[in-house]
Amino acid sequence: MVEDDLNVIKILEKIVEDRELGEITGYAKDGIEAINKIIVYQPDIVLIDLLIPNKDGINVVKDFKNVNNKPVFIMISQVSSKDLIAKAYESGIEFFIQKPINAIEVENVIKKVNEKLEMQTKLNSIKKLFDSNKSNDESNEKNYEDKIISILQKIGILGETGSRDIVKIVMKLVENKQYKNDFTLKEVLKDYGSNTKTVEQRIRRAANVGLINLANLGIEDNLNEVFLEYSNSLYSFEQIKLEMDYIRGRSNKRGKINLKKFIEAICLYVISD
């Protein structure tokens, strides 16, 4: 935890411990101390305030932006400036929680991050299994898988259950060059047998979370690179705009996804240089 208010530290500590959200490895009250302790303790998650002495939270996060095995940063701050919040996301935070602290919100966010970390661990384990006996073709497969994972991570759905199905399906389509044909979802999902509908629902839910995440990103910063890149390729920008209007309370209609377009677009990203 990186926070200069002892009362806030005690509140967060109680939430984490009472709700069994993880183990607290250390505390820091300013930015310089935070960097040193993060390097030493190598935590999975860092709860960090924006306005801390010596070096603010945004710059602390930036220092770890290009570091391998960096922690997931959750910013908890009373700052309400949209510009500062946008800068916080650009620096590399995963979530922003507004003070005063809401225990349920903190719990939900940490649980969601833990799910993503668990998913990443599982995916890394799968990748290691493939890495033991790599041929040139297998190296290409690893590259494809990395690209899929990267896309899912950017749109914030790597922790969703359906993400595993998306990785499997896109890999199959790419390896068999099926993406070049006018495939149907029924053909793609036939290997799942009686579980076809369940799998489709999982994928649809994951894709829909991506749409919602991009819509929120567009509201915060419509020039964000991830928003510009994927809002009109994986989805229809018209549907993203509908979701943005829904979130703003301007419309009762929500954005919809075209699952075939979504899968097709990921395939095209995977095979591109």
Side-chain angles (χ1 to χ4, degrees), residues 41-81:
Y41 292 122
Q42 297 185 347
D44 295 317
I45 300 172
V46 175
L47 302 177
I48 184 169
D49 192 3
L50 194 156
L51 302 175
I52 47 176
N54 294 331
K55 195 167 197 173
D56 65 42
I58 288 176
N59 282 306
V60 170
V61 176
K62 279 182 179 178
D63 282 353
F64 288 91
K65 193 166 188 177
N66 298 315
V67 177
N68 291 330
N69 300 320
K70 65 179 179 180
V72 175
F73 287 95
I74 300 172
M75 190 162 280
I76 303 178
S77 180
Q78 64 185 2
V79 169
S80 58
S81 165

Side-chain angles (χ1 to χ4, degrees), residues 146-163:
D146 287 344
K147 286 185 177 182
I148 300 167
I149 291 170
S150 175
I151 292 168
L152 301 186
Q153 192 169 31
K154 285 177 182 176
I155 63 174
I157 66 171
L158 193 58
E160 300 297 319
T161 306
S163 65

Side-chain angles (χ1 to χ4, degrees), residues 218-254:
I219 291 171
E220 292 166 3
D221 178 13
N222 60 10
L223 294 179
N224 181 278
E225 289 181 4
V226 172
F227 173 76
L228 294 174
E229 176 75 21
Y230 298 113
S231 61
N232 202 31
S233 54
L234 301 184
Y235 303 93
S236 160
F237 184 78
E238 182 180 52
Q239 297 303 317
I240 293 281
K241 181 67 168 57
L242 272 177
E243 186 65 22
M244 290 167 71
D245 288 341
Y246 175 83
I247 294 169
R248 289 182 175 120
R250 297 176 183 174
S251 171
N252 292 324
K253 292 184 178 180
R254 303 203 67 163

Side-chain angles (χ1 to χ4, degrees), residues 1 16 22-28 37-38 40-46:
M1 292 184 191
V16 171
E23 180 183 347
I24 299 169
T25 58
Y27 307 90
K37 287 195 172 181
I38 291 169
V40 172
Y41 292 122
Q42 297 185 347
D44 295 317
I45 300 172
V46 175

Side-chain angles (χ1 to χ4, degrees), residues 132-255:
S132 57
N133 256 332
K134 285 289 182 184
S135 65
N136 288 334
D137 288 341
E138 287 172 331
S139 294
N140 286 334
E141 287 177 15
K142 181 178 182 298
N143 185 40
Y144 294 154
E145 187 179 10
D146 287 344
K147 286 185 177 182
I148 300 167
I149 291 170
S150 175
I151 292 168
L152 301 186
Q153 192 169 31
K154 285 177 182 176
I155 63 174
I157 66 171
L158 193 58
E160 300 297 319
T161 306
S163 65
R164 285 174 286 182
D165 302 301
I166 294 170
V167 172
K168 183 177 178 181
I169 287 167
V170 173
M171 286 289 287
K172 181 183 176 184
L173 286 170
V174 171
E175 288 167 11
N176 297 332
K177 296 184 170 34
Q178 283 180 270
Y179 63 90
K180 293 183 177 180
N181 304 319
D182 190 20
F183 65 87
T184 64
L185 286 176
K186 187 176 180 181
E187 291 170 346
V188 171
L189 298 171
K190 66 181 180 181
D191 290 345
Y192 288 93
S194 60
N195 292 324
T196 297
K197 287 185 179 179
T198 302
V199 174
E200 182 178 347
Q201 287 172 353
R202 286 202 302 256
I203 296 171
R204 192 173 293 279
R205 279 197 296 269
N208 194 59
V209 170
L211 180 142
I212 295 169
N213 290 344
L214 285 175
N216 278 298
L217 202 56
I219 291 171
E220 292 166 3
D221 178 13
N222 60 10
L223 294 179
N224 181 278
E225 289 181 4
V226 172
F227 173 76
L228 294 174
E229 176 75 21
Y230 298 113
S231 61
N232 202 31
S233 54
L234 301 184
Y235 303 93
S236 160
F237 184 78
E238 182 180 52
Q239 297 303 317
I240 293 281
K241 181 67 168 57
L242 272 177
E243 186 65 22
M244 290 167 71
D245 288 341
Y246 175 83
I247 294 169
R248 289 182 175 120
R250 297 176 183 174
S251 171
N252 292 324
K253 292 184 178 180
R254 303 203 67 163

